[in-house]
Amino acid sequence: MKLVGKYPTLRMRRIRKSDWIRRLVAENSLSVNDLILPIFLREGKNKIEPISSMPGINRYSVDKINLIVERACRLKIPLVALFPYTSNKKKDNYGTEALNENNLVCKALKVIKKNFKEIGTMSDVALDPYTIHGHDGILKGNYVDNDKTISILVKQSLLQAQMGCDIIAPSDMMDGRIGEIRKALDKNNFKNTKILSYAVKYASNFYGPFRDAVGSKKKLKGDKKSYQMDFKNSTEALREVALDIKEGADMVMVKPGMPYLDIIKTVKDNFKIPVFSYQVSGEYSLIKNGIKNKLINEDSVIESLISLKRAGSSAIVTYFAMEIAKKLSKNY
Ligand code: PBG
């Protein structure tokens, strides 16, 4: 880049002097259209239960989700993402509950689709909320069996599509699953069901509070390093994305968010596809606790989200979605 002008004729601070000029020259912005709201589901009736590892976030029984979805609709949040807390007695080695058409995600999809036309629904494809060992697939010894797992994920995807899910989001990191899922969806006439692939998902230490929220934390044997990406790598992310695009992904996800801004940018610069990012539970709880303890102020939330936009995210899954949507609606 060629520098034009220099001090004292050039003063960079001129365009930072007042709020109005800062607004005029702003290169990035955040709107409600950028926000995806995760919702945790639980069994039972009439339950809204706080999650201790994620201050301000609740698990909802299905009969109560109308409350939160209605609020999301009123604020014009475009998409909700559903995550189930499955009770222990429904978990097994194969994640059988994932294929139960009366499981929490299926029930919630039906309710939301029936009552709300203006909001999209997204559901995770992976077995970890349903397996007794907490892994995203079927174990053979200590190793998650790729191809056996895919055959179940395909069924899970079809079931979710039948329940009215708009965006199927495989977060399992098995090789080749996007192609198989796309093929099955098309064959069963779900041609408009979209696939958001968690193409670049790292074996991260920032998922702790989420695993607590869906009840897989104490269950997880070992780690997920044999399928989720090594956080030392970046060019590998490009191979993952290239493969998933070829297999039929409509959008790709980079996850986690803030520790991986370089990856979001690299993916964005190399592919013409919408790139989403996921500000994960550990990022959320750290910021939230920082604010609670007055170490950082509330605007750090907007700063963290804008950083994800600046890196190239089209949209962001964030547990701050509701509070930020409220804030944005008041400001404008
Ligand atoms: C599971 C899944 C995880 C998250 C979303 N889907 C956890 C994991 O891979 O262990 C994490 C989200 C978060 O931390 O907010 N397939």
Side-chain angles (χ1 to χ4, degrees):
M1 193 177 72
K2 212 173 138 218
L3 203 60
V4 185
K6 64 174 205 253
Y7 175 83
T9 42
L10 176 64
R11 291 177 185 267
M12 293 301 287
R13 291 179 57 193
R14 265 183 219 130
I15 57 168
R16 292 180 201 141
K17 190 159 180 290
S18 327
D19 179 63
W20 63 264
I21 183 73
R22 288 195 294 270
R23 281 190 282 132
L24 277 176
V25 300
E27 295 176 44
N28 291 282
S29 63
L30 182 73
S31 92
V32 69
N33 301 328
D34 301 318
L35 303 172
I36 300 168
L37 171 71
I39 299 178
F40 290 106
L41 307 167
R42 55 156 292 160
E43 277 151 26
K45 279 213 164 67
N46 204 18
K47 298 268 197 280
I48 300 180
E49 168 191 41
I51 301 170
S52 57
S53 59
M54 301 181 70
I57 304 297
N58 302 309
R59 295 186 195 99
Y60 293 80
S61 55
V62 174
D63 61 324
K64 285 285 168 191
I65 53 176
N66 280 346
L67 282 175
I68 183 167
V69 179
E70 198 176 294
R71 239 179 295 149
C73 285
R74 228 182 300 132
L75 291 163
K76 295 213 153 39
I77 290 176
L79 181 65
V80 292
L82 303 174
F83 298 101
Y85 179 104
T86 309
S87 65
N88 268 335
K89 59 178 193 295
K90 293 192 172 162
K91 295 186 181 186
D92 61 19
N93 273 316
Y94 305 97
T96 311
E97 178 67 7
L99 304 183
N100 172 5
E101 61 177 50
N102 282 314
N103 71 24
L104 286 172
V105 169
C106 291
K107 281 197 281 198
L109 282 169
K110 275 192 277 191
V111 168
I112 298 171
K113 280 288 105 183
K114 184 165 151 247
N115 296 326
F116 306 95
K117 302 290 168 234
E118 66 272 44
I119 199 161
T121 51
M122 157 175 156
S123 47
D124 242 39
V125 171
L127 300 182
D128 58 319
Y130 309 105
T131 53
I132 205 133
H133 43 68
H135 280 288
D136 291 24
I138 303 302
L139 285 183
K140 206 181 211 172
N142 284 327
Y143 191 70
V144 173
D145 187 299
N146 195 84
D147 300 2
K148 270 214 183 93
T149 299
I150 291 188
S151 68
I152 300 177
L153 299 180
V154 166
K155 290 185 192 145
Q156 186 184 20
S157 307
L158 276 178
L159 179 61
Q160 292 176 357
Q162 276 157 17
M163 297 298 146
C165 178
D166 299 297
I167 302 185
I168 302 286
S171 70
D172 56 287
M173 289 298 278
M174 296 303 112
D175 285 322
R177 87 282 204 215
I178 300 299
E180 294 300 314
I181 291 170
R182 184 72 266 164
K183 209 163 57 186
L185 288 173
D186 287 351
K187 208 171 122 200
N188 288 276
N189 222 9
F190 293 110
K191 294 196 169 60
N192 279 322
T193 304
K194 292 161 256 301
I195 298 180
L196 166 60
S197 166
Y198 286 78
V200 187
K201 180 171 177 180
Y202 284 89
S204 172
N205 297 292
F206 287 87
Y207 303 148
F210 174 95
R211 290 181 189 166
D212 193 38
V214 300
S216 69
K217 191 169 190 167
K218 290 198 201 96
K219 294 263 164 307
L220 184 62
K221 289 210 182 79
D223 56 48
K224 300 189 176 183
K225 289 179 183 169
S226 79
Y227 45 106
Q228 299 179 346
M229 274 181 61
D230 185 343
F231 53 71
K232 298 184 199 79
N233 297 350
S234 50
T235 54
E236 190 184 338
L238 298 178
R239 298 177 75 196
E240 285 283 5
V241 170
L243 283 166
D244 285 1
I245 292 176
K246 210 164 197 176
E247 290 178 29
D250 300 291
M251 300 153 285
V252 293
M253 180 87 87
V254 175
K255 178 180 177 187
M258 240 176 25
Y260 296 86
L261 295 176
D262 57 324
I263 307 297
I264 299 169
K265 174 135 184 67
T266 310
V267 172
K268 184 72 190 173
D269 287 347
N270 280 281
F271 298 97
K272 302 298 161 227
I273 189 167
V275 180
F276 289 17
S277 56
Y278 198 137
Q279 183 178 53
V280 301
S281 57
E283 300 176 68
Y284 170 83
S285 295
L286 277 173
I287 295 173
K288 199 77 184 171
N289 286 328
I291 294 170
K292 207 171 81 195
N293 294 319
K294 299 198 162 45
L295 298 168
I296 53 178
N297 72 35
E298 252 181 57
D299 284 347
S300 47
V301 176
I302 293 270
E303 181 179 341
S304 69
L305 295 169
I306 292 263
S307 78
L308 294 162
K309 291 285 297 173
R310 205 177 57 231
S313 308
S314 301
I316 305 161
V317 183
T318 172
Y319 303 98
F320 288 113
M322 197 65 100
E323 65 176 82
I324 289 302
K326 263 184 228 153
K327 207 174 224 177
L328 292 171
S329 74
K330 276 190 205 125
N331 287 351
Y332 300 106

